[in-house]
PDB file of all heavy atoms in Angstrom:
ATOM      1  N   MET A1121     -11.766   3.942   0.205  1.00 98.00           N
ATOM      2  CA  MET A1121     -10.366   3.846  -0.327  1.00 98.00           C
ATOM      3  C   MET A1121      -9.591   2.756   0.427  1.00 98.00           C
ATOM      4  O   MET A1121      -9.523   2.884   1.630  1.00 98.00           O
ATOM      5  CB  MET A1121      -9.718   5.152  -0.337  1.00 98.00           C
ATOM      6  CG  MET A1121      -8.343   5.067  -1.137  1.00 98.00           C
ATOM      7  SD  MET A1121      -7.357   6.576  -0.938  1.00 98.00           S
ATOM      8  CE  MET A1121      -8.494   7.858  -1.585  1.00 98.00           C
ATOM      9  N   VAL A1122      -9.154   1.782  -0.248  1.00 98.00           N
ATOM     10  CA  VAL A1122      -8.319   0.681   0.363  1.00 98.00           C
ATOM     11  C   VAL A1122      -6.834   0.919  -0.065  1.00 98.00           C
ATOM     12  O   VAL A1122      -6.572   1.173  -1.202  1.00 98.00           O
ATOM     13  CB  VAL A1122      -8.796  -0.689  -0.066  1.00 98.00           C
ATOM     14  CG1 VAL A1122      -7.952  -1.764   0.572  1.00 98.00           C
ATOM     15  CG2 VAL A1122     -10.300  -0.849   0.342  1.00 98.00           C
ATOM     16  N   ASP A1123      -5.926   0.773   0.863  1.00 98.00           N
ATOM     17  CA  ASP A1123      -4.499   0.746   0.597  1.00 98.00           C
ATOM     18  C   ASP A1123      -4.009  -0.648   0.949  1.00 98.00           C
ATOM     19  O   ASP A1123      -4.162  -1.141   2.035  1.00 98.00           O
ATOM     20  CB  ASP A1123      -3.820   1.779   1.414  1.00 98.00           C
ATOM     21  CG  ASP A1123      -2.329   1.958   1.049  1.00 98.00           C
ATOM     22  OD1 ASP A1123      -1.699   0.909   0.597  1.00 98.00           O
ATOM     23  OD2 ASP A1123      -1.769   3.044   1.197  1.00 98.00           O
ATOM     24  N   GLY A1124      -3.379  -1.354  -0.065  1.00 98.00           N
ATOM     25  CA  GLY A1124      -3.047  -2.733   0.134  1.00 98.00           C
ATOM     26  C   GLY A1124      -1.886  -2.985   1.190  1.00 98.00           C
ATOM     27  O   GLY A1124      -1.698  -4.074   1.583  1.00 98.00           O
ATOM     28  N   HIS A1125      -1.222  -1.865   1.576  1.00 98.00           N
ATOM     29  CA  HIS A1125      -0.010  -2.186   2.426  1.00 98.00           C
ATOM     30  C   HIS A1125       0.414  -0.968   3.134  1.00 98.00           C
ATOM     31  O   HIS A1125       1.016   0.004   2.544  1.00 98.00           O
ATOM     32  CB  HIS A1125       1.121  -2.755   1.553  1.00 98.00           C
ATOM     33  CG  HIS A1125       2.220  -3.331   2.393  1.00 98.00           C
ATOM     34  ND1 HIS A1125       2.294  -4.705   2.703  1.00 98.00           N
ATOM     35  CD2 HIS A1125       3.339  -2.792   2.886  1.00 98.00           C
ATOM     36  CE1 HIS A1125       3.367  -4.913   3.397  1.00 98.00           C
ATOM     37  NE2 HIS A1125       4.067  -3.814   3.527  1.00 98.00           N
ATOM     38  N   VAL A1126       0.257  -0.808   4.501  1.00 98.00           N
ATOM     39  CA  VAL A1126       0.747   0.161   5.294  1.00 98.00           C
ATOM     40  C   VAL A1126       1.514  -0.457   6.481  1.00 98.00           C
ATOM     41  O   VAL A1126       0.907  -1.256   7.201  1.00 98.00           O
ATOM     42  CB  VAL A1126      -0.372   1.129   5.787  1.00 98.00           C
ATOM     43  CG1 VAL A1126       0.187   2.110   6.782  1.00 98.00           C
ATOM     44  CG2 VAL A1126      -1.018   1.818   4.519  1.00 98.00           C
ATOM     45  N   ASP A1127       2.762  -0.089   6.715  1.00 97.00           N
ATOM     46  CA  ASP A1127       3.610  -0.685   7.725  1.00 97.00           C
ATOM     47  C   ASP A1127       3.476  -0.078   9.106  1.00 97.00           C
ATOM     48  O   ASP A1127       4.469   0.052   9.831  1.00 97.00           O
ATOM     49  CB  ASP A1127       5.017  -0.668   7.201  1.00 97.00           C
ATOM     50  CG  ASP A1127       5.374  -1.825   6.367  1.00 97.00           C
ATOM     51  OD1 ASP A1127       5.378  -2.966   6.808  1.00 97.00           O
ATOM     52  OD2 ASP A1127       5.673  -1.633   5.192  1.00 97.00           O
ATOM     53  N   LEU A1128       2.247   0.309   9.472  1.00 96.00           N
ATOM     54  CA  LEU A1128       2.112   0.929  10.781  1.00 96.00           C
ATOM     55  C   LEU A1128       2.463  -0.038  11.970  1.00 96.00           C
ATOM     56  O   LEU A1128       3.074   0.441  12.899  1.00 96.00           O
ATOM     57  CB  LEU A1128       0.698   1.505  10.953  1.00 96.00           C
ATOM     58  CG  LEU A1128       0.338   2.092  12.272  1.00 96.00           C
ATOM     59  CD1 LEU A1128       1.269   3.306  12.553  1.00 96.00           C
ATOM     60  CD2 LEU A1128      -1.120   2.428  12.388  1.00 96.00           C
ATOM     61  N   PRO A1129       2.029  -1.243  11.991  1.00 95.00           N
ATOM     62  CA  PRO A1129       2.245  -2.036  13.204  1.00 95.00           C
ATOM     63  C   PRO A1129       3.777  -2.173  13.521  1.00 95.00           C
ATOM     64  O   PRO A1129       4.157  -2.031  14.642  1.00 95.00           O
ATOM     65  CB  PRO A1129       1.691  -3.431  12.724  1.00 95.00           C
ATOM     66  CG  PRO A1129       0.558  -3.096  11.811  1.00 95.00           C
ATOM     67  CD  PRO A1129       1.096  -1.971  10.994  1.00 95.00           C
ATOM     68  N   TYR A1130       4.626  -2.344  12.528  1.00 92.00           N
ATOM     69  CA  TYR A1130       6.034  -2.459  12.778  1.00 92.00           C
ATOM     70  C   TYR A1130       6.574  -1.109  13.214  1.00 92.00           C
ATOM     71  O   TYR A1130       7.497  -0.967  14.032  1.00 92.00           O
ATOM     72  CB  TYR A1130       6.778  -3.018  11.550  1.00 92.00           C
ATOM     73  CG  TYR A1130       8.129  -3.578  11.978  1.00 92.00           C
ATOM     74  CD1 TYR A1130       8.213  -4.883  12.557  1.00 92.00           C
ATOM     75  CD2 TYR A1130       9.381  -2.929  11.755  1.00 92.00           C
ATOM     76  CE1 TYR A1130       9.404  -5.416  12.895  1.00 92.00           C
ATOM     77  CE2 TYR A1130      10.548  -3.493  12.062  1.00 92.00           C
ATOM     78  CZ  TYR A1130      10.596  -4.714  12.674  1.00 92.00           C
ATOM     79  OH  TYR A1130      11.733  -5.291  13.075  1.00 92.00           O
ATOM     80  N   ARG A1131       6.039  -0.010  12.621  1.00 93.00           N
ATOM     81  CA  ARG A1131       6.429   1.312  13.040  1.00 93.00           C
ATOM     82  C   ARG A1131       6.064   1.527  14.564  1.00 93.00           C
ATOM     83  O   ARG A1131       6.766   2.148  15.294  1.00 93.00           O
ATOM     84  CB  ARG A1131       5.781   2.315  12.167  1.00 93.00           C
ATOM     85  CG  ARG A1131       6.019   3.843  12.588  1.00 93.00           C
ATOM     86  CD  ARG A1131       5.210   4.809  11.725  1.00 93.00           C
ATOM     87  NE  ARG A1131       5.070   6.075  12.381  1.00 93.00           N
ATOM     88  CZ  ARG A1131       4.090   6.892  12.194  1.00 93.00           C
ATOM     89  NH1 ARG A1131       3.070   6.576  11.383  1.00 93.00           N
ATOM     90  NH2 ARG A1131       3.996   8.017  12.757  1.00 93.00           N
ATOM     91  N   MET A1132       4.919   1.044  14.933  1.00 90.00           N
ATOM     92  CA  MET A1132       4.550   1.156  16.324  1.00 90.00           C
ATOM     93  C   MET A1132       5.497   0.369  17.216  1.00 90.00           C
ATOM     94  O   MET A1132       5.881   0.826  18.320  1.00 90.00           O
ATOM     95  CB  MET A1132       3.087   0.619  16.550  1.00 90.00           C
ATOM     96  CG  MET A1132       1.999   1.573  15.946  1.00 90.00           C
ATOM     97  SD  MET A1132       0.282   1.167  16.495  1.00 90.00           S
ATOM     98  CE  MET A1132       0.074  -0.507  15.812  1.00 90.00           C
ATOM     99  N   LYS A1133       5.879  -0.817  16.738  1.00 89.00           N
ATOM    100  CA  LYS A1133       6.826  -1.597  17.504  1.00 89.00           C
ATOM    101  C   LYS A1133       8.150  -0.917  17.689  1.00 89.00           C
ATOM    102  O   LYS A1133       8.682  -0.794  18.830  1.00 89.00           O
ATOM    103  CB  LYS A1133       7.059  -2.982  16.822  1.00 89.00           C
ATOM    104  CG  LYS A1133       8.153  -3.854  17.493  1.00 89.00           C
ATOM    105  CD  LYS A1133       8.309  -5.135  16.768  1.00 89.00           C
ATOM    106  CE  LYS A1133       9.494  -5.953  17.284  1.00 89.00           C
ATOM    107  NZ  LYS A1133       9.475  -6.242  18.678  1.00 89.00           N
ATOM    108  N   VAL A1134       8.644  -0.437  16.606  1.00 83.00           N
ATOM    109  CA  VAL A1134       9.887   0.389  16.650  1.00 83.00           C
ATOM    110  C   VAL A1134       9.781   1.605  17.497  1.00 83.00           C
ATOM    111  O   VAL A1134      10.719   2.058  18.256  1.00 83.00           O
ATOM    112  CB  VAL A1134      10.400   0.647  15.235  1.00 83.00           C
ATOM    113  CG1 VAL A1134      11.652   1.624  15.238  1.00 83.00           C
ATOM    114  CG2 VAL A1134      10.719  -0.584  14.481  1.00 83.00           C
ATOM    115  N   GLY A1135       8.570   2.254  17.433  1.00 73.00           N
ATOM    116  CA  GLY A1135       8.346   3.495  18.175  1.00 73.00           C
ATOM    117  C   GLY A1135       8.089   3.319  19.584  1.00 73.00           C
ATOM    118  O   GLY A1135       7.938   4.274  20.356  1.00 73.00           O
ATOM    119  N   GLY A1136       7.996   2.061  20.060  1.00 62.00           N
ATOM    120  CA  GLY A1136       7.898   1.789  21.488  1.00 62.00           C
ATOM    121  C   GLY A1136       6.402   1.517  21.909  1.00 62.00           C
ATOM    122  O   GLY A1136       6.166   1.571  23.138  1.00 62.00           O
ATOM    123  N   PHE A1137       5.583   1.180  21.010  1.00 52.00           N
ATOM    124  CA  PHE A1137       4.230   0.763  21.341  1.00 52.00           C
ATOM    125  C   PHE A1137       4.246  -0.548  22.180  1.00 52.00           C
ATOM    126  O   PHE A1137       4.918  -1.458  21.847  1.00 52.00           O
ATOM    127  CB  PHE A1137       3.375   0.502  20.065  1.00 52.00           C
ATOM    128  CG  PHE A1137       1.923   0.206  20.317  1.00 52.00           C
ATOM    129  CD1 PHE A1137       0.970   1.192  20.099  1.00 52.00           C
ATOM    130  CD2 PHE A1137       1.420  -1.002  20.780  1.00 52.00           C
ATOM    131  CE1 PHE A1137      -0.371   0.989  20.215  1.00 52.00           C
ATOM    132  CE2 PHE A1137       0.145  -1.289  20.926  1.00 52.00           C
ATOM    133  CZ  PHE A1137      -0.799  -0.279  20.653  1.00 52.00           C
ATOM    134  N   THR A1138       3.508  -0.536  23.331  1.00 45.00           N
ATOM    135  CA  THR A1138       3.396  -1.713  24.135  1.00 45.00           C
ATOM    136  C   THR A1138       1.920  -1.991  24.361  1.00 45.00           C
ATOM    137  O   THR A1138       1.036  -1.190  24.059  1.00 45.00           O
ATOM    138  CB  THR A1138       4.053  -1.551  25.513  1.00 45.00           C
ATOM    139  OG1 THR A1138       3.312  -0.628  26.287  1.00 45.00           O
ATOM    140  CG2 THR A1138       5.469  -1.076  25.364  1.00 45.00           C
ATOM    141  N   LEU A1139       1.580  -3.159  24.846  1.00 45.00           N
ATOM    142  CA  LEU A1139       0.199  -3.505  25.136  1.00 45.00           C
ATOM    143  C   LEU A1139      -0.325  -2.753  26.314  1.00 45.00           C
ATOM    144  O   LEU A1139      -1.507  -2.717  26.590  1.00 45.00           O
ATOM    145  CB  LEU A1139       0.039  -5.012  25.319  1.00 45.00           C
ATOM    146  CG  LEU A1139       0.381  -5.838  24.054  1.00 45.00           C
ATOM    147  CD1 LEU A1139       0.158  -7.302  24.336  1.00 45.00           C
ATOM    148  CD2 LEU A1139      -0.385  -5.394  22.886  1.00 45.00           C
ATOM    149  N   GLN A1140       0.591  -2.176  27.117  1.00 46.00           N
ATOM    150  CA  GLN A1140       0.136  -1.444  28.300  1.00 46.00           C
ATOM    151  C   GLN A1140       0.001   0.005  28.062  1.00 46.00           C
ATOM    152  O   GLN A1140      -0.866   0.664  28.681  1.00 46.00           O
ATOM    153  CB  GLN A1140       1.139  -1.672  29.460  1.00 46.00           C
ATOM    154  CG  GLN A1140       1.103  -3.107  30.033  1.00 46.00           C
ATOM    155  CD  GLN A1140       1.824  -4.076  29.070  1.00 46.00           C
ATOM    156  OE1 GLN A1140       2.851  -3.818  28.530  1.00 46.00           O
ATOM    157  NE2 GLN A1140       1.170  -5.254  29.011  1.00 46.00           N
ATOM    158  N   ARG A1141       0.839   0.560  27.171  1.00 47.00           N
ATOM    159  CA  ARG A1141       0.795   2.006  26.947  1.00 47.00           C
ATOM    160  C   ARG A1141       1.214   2.333  25.548  1.00 47.00           C
ATOM    161  O   ARG A1141       2.151   1.791  25.010  1.00 47.00           O
ATOM    162  CB  ARG A1141       1.838   2.644  27.903  1.00 47.00           C
ATOM    163  CG  ARG A1141       2.032   4.108  27.798  1.00 47.00           C
ATOM    164  CD  ARG A1141       2.809   4.635  28.973  1.00 47.00           C
ATOM    165  NE  ARG A1141       3.296   5.987  28.861  1.00 47.00           N
ATOM    166  CZ  ARG A1141       4.429   6.337  28.421  1.00 47.00           C
ATOM    167  NH1 ARG A1141       5.363   5.380  28.115  1.00 47.00           N
ATOM    168  NH2 ARG A1141       4.800   7.601  28.269  1.00 47.00           N
ATOM    169  N   GLU A1142       0.391   3.287  24.951  1.00 50.00           N
ATOM    170  CA  GLU A1142       0.691   3.700  23.575  1.00 50.00           C
ATOM    171  C   GLU A1142       1.658   4.885  23.525  1.00 50.00           C
ATOM    172  O   GLU A1142       1.278   5.989  23.818  1.00 50.00           O
ATOM    173  CB  GLU A1142      -0.531   4.027  22.797  1.00 50.00           C
ATOM    174  CG  GLU A1142      -1.519   2.887  22.590  1.00 50.00           C
ATOM    175  CD  GLU A1142      -2.266   2.534  23.887  1.00 50.00           C
ATOM    176  OE1 GLU A1142      -2.550   3.413  24.715  1.00 50.00           O
ATOM    177  OE2 GLU A1142      -2.433   1.310  24.153  1.00 50.00           O
ATOM    178  N   ILE A1143       2.984   4.610  23.267  1.00 61.00           N
ATOM    179  CA  ILE A1143       3.890   5.704  23.200  1.00 61.00           C
ATOM    180  C   ILE A1143       3.792   6.372  21.870  1.00 61.00           C
ATOM    181  O   ILE A1143       3.922   7.593  21.798  1.00 61.00           O
ATOM    182  CB  ILE A1143       5.337   5.129  23.381  1.00 61.00           C
ATOM    183  CG1 ILE A1143       5.470   4.505  24.795  1.00 61.00           C
ATOM    184  CG2 ILE A1143       6.368   6.212  23.193  1.00 61.00           C
ATOM    185  CD1 ILE A1143       6.697   3.793  25.024  1.00 61.00           C
ATOM    186  N   LEU A1144       3.548   5.634  20.807  1.00 80.00           N
ATOM    187  CA  LEU A1144       3.245   6.250  19.541  1.00 80.00           C
ATOM    188  C   LEU A1144       1.766   6.327  19.378  1.00 80.00           C
ATOM    189  O   LEU A1144       1.080   5.319  19.160  1.00 80.00           O
ATOM    190  CB  LEU A1144       3.897   5.392  18.406  1.00 80.00           C
ATOM    191  CG  LEU A1144       3.634   5.816  16.937  1.00 80.00           C
ATOM    192  CD1 LEU A1144       4.180   7.189  16.686  1.00 80.00           C
ATOM    193  CD2 LEU A1144       4.131   4.839  15.960  1.00 80.00           C
ATOM    194  N   ASP A1145       1.239   7.524  19.414  1.00 90.00           N
ATOM    195  CA  ASP A1145      -0.290   7.705  19.343  1.00 90.00           C
ATOM    196  C   ASP A1145      -0.608   8.172  17.987  1.00 90.00           C
ATOM    197  O   ASP A1145      -0.530   9.434  17.653  1.00 90.00           O
ATOM    198  CB  ASP A1145      -0.672   8.725  20.477  1.00 90.00           C
ATOM    199  CG  ASP A1145      -2.157   8.863  20.473  1.00 90.00           C
ATOM    200  OD1 ASP A1145      -2.884   8.241  19.760  1.00 90.00           O
ATOM    201  OD2 ASP A1145      -2.630   9.642  21.382  1.00 90.00           O
ATOM    202  N   VAL A1146      -1.133   7.287  17.163  1.00 94.00           N
ATOM    203  CA  VAL A1146      -1.537   7.693  15.789  1.00 94.00           C
ATOM    204  C   VAL A1146      -2.987   8.061  15.693  1.00 94.00           C
ATOM    205  O   VAL A1146      -3.549   8.269  14.628  1.00 94.00           O
ATOM    206  CB  VAL A1146      -1.246   6.557  14.772  1.00 94.00           C
ATOM    207  CG1 VAL A1146       0.248   6.356  14.605  1.00 94.00           C
ATOM    208  CG2 VAL A1146      -1.946   5.315  15.133  1.00 94.00           C
ATOM    209  N   SER A1147      -3.611   8.219  16.883  1.00 95.00           N
ATOM    210  CA  SER A1147      -5.039   8.753  16.929  1.00 95.00           C
ATOM    211  C   SER A1147      -4.960  10.290  16.662  1.00 95.00           C
ATOM    212  O   SER A1147      -5.989  10.911  16.337  1.00 95.00           O
ATOM    213  CB  SER A1147      -5.736   8.472  18.184  1.00 95.00           C
ATOM    214  OG  SER A1147      -5.204   9.234  19.295  1.00 95.00           O
ATOM    215  N   VAL A1148      -3.773  10.908  16.842  1.00 95.00           N
ATOM    216  CA  VAL A1148      -3.560  12.271  16.606  1.00 95.00           C
ATOM    217  C   VAL A1148      -2.477  12.442  15.545  1.00 95.00           C
ATOM    218  O   VAL A1148      -1.791  11.516  15.184  1.00 95.00           O
ATOM    219  CB  VAL A1148      -3.168  13.009  17.928  1.00 95.00           C
ATOM    220  CG1 VAL A1148      -4.232  12.949  18.938  1.00 95.00           C
ATOM    221  CG2 VAL A1148      -1.853  12.392  18.474  1.00 95.00           C
ATOM    222  N   ARG A1149      -2.270  13.688  15.109  1.00 95.00           N
ATOM    223  CA  ARG A1149      -1.235  13.924  14.040  1.00 95.00           C
ATOM    224  C   ARG A1149       0.134  13.714  14.669  1.00 95.00           C
ATOM    225  O   ARG A1149       0.405  14.199  15.752  1.00 95.00           O
ATOM    226  CB  ARG A1149      -1.418  15.389  13.573  1.00 95.00           C
ATOM    227  CG  ARG A1149      -0.571  15.682  12.307  1.00 95.00           C
ATOM    228  CD  ARG A1149      -0.776  17.105  11.837  1.00 95.00           C
ATOM    229  NE  ARG A1149      -2.225  17.313  11.586  1.00 95.00           N
ATOM    230  CZ  ARG A1149      -2.829  17.034  10.379  1.00 95.00           C
ATOM    231  NH1 ARG A1149      -2.080  16.562   9.407  1.00 95.00           N
ATOM    232  NH2 ARG A1149      -4.102  17.299  10.235  1.00 95.00           N
TER     233      ARG A1149
END
Side-chain angles (χ1 to χ4, degrees):
M1121 191 188 299
V1122 178
D1123 186 330
H1125 193 91
V1126 173
D1127 274 296
L1128 177 65
Y1130 202 77
R1131 176 184 160 209
M1132 290 193 296
K1133 174 181 170 59
V1134 172
F1137 186 103
T1138 69
L1139 297 182
Q1140 290 74 40
R1141 176 167 170 263
E1142 295 75 37
I1143 297 174
L1144 175 63
D1145 183 0
V1146 293
S1147 71
V1148 297
R1149 193 176 301 273

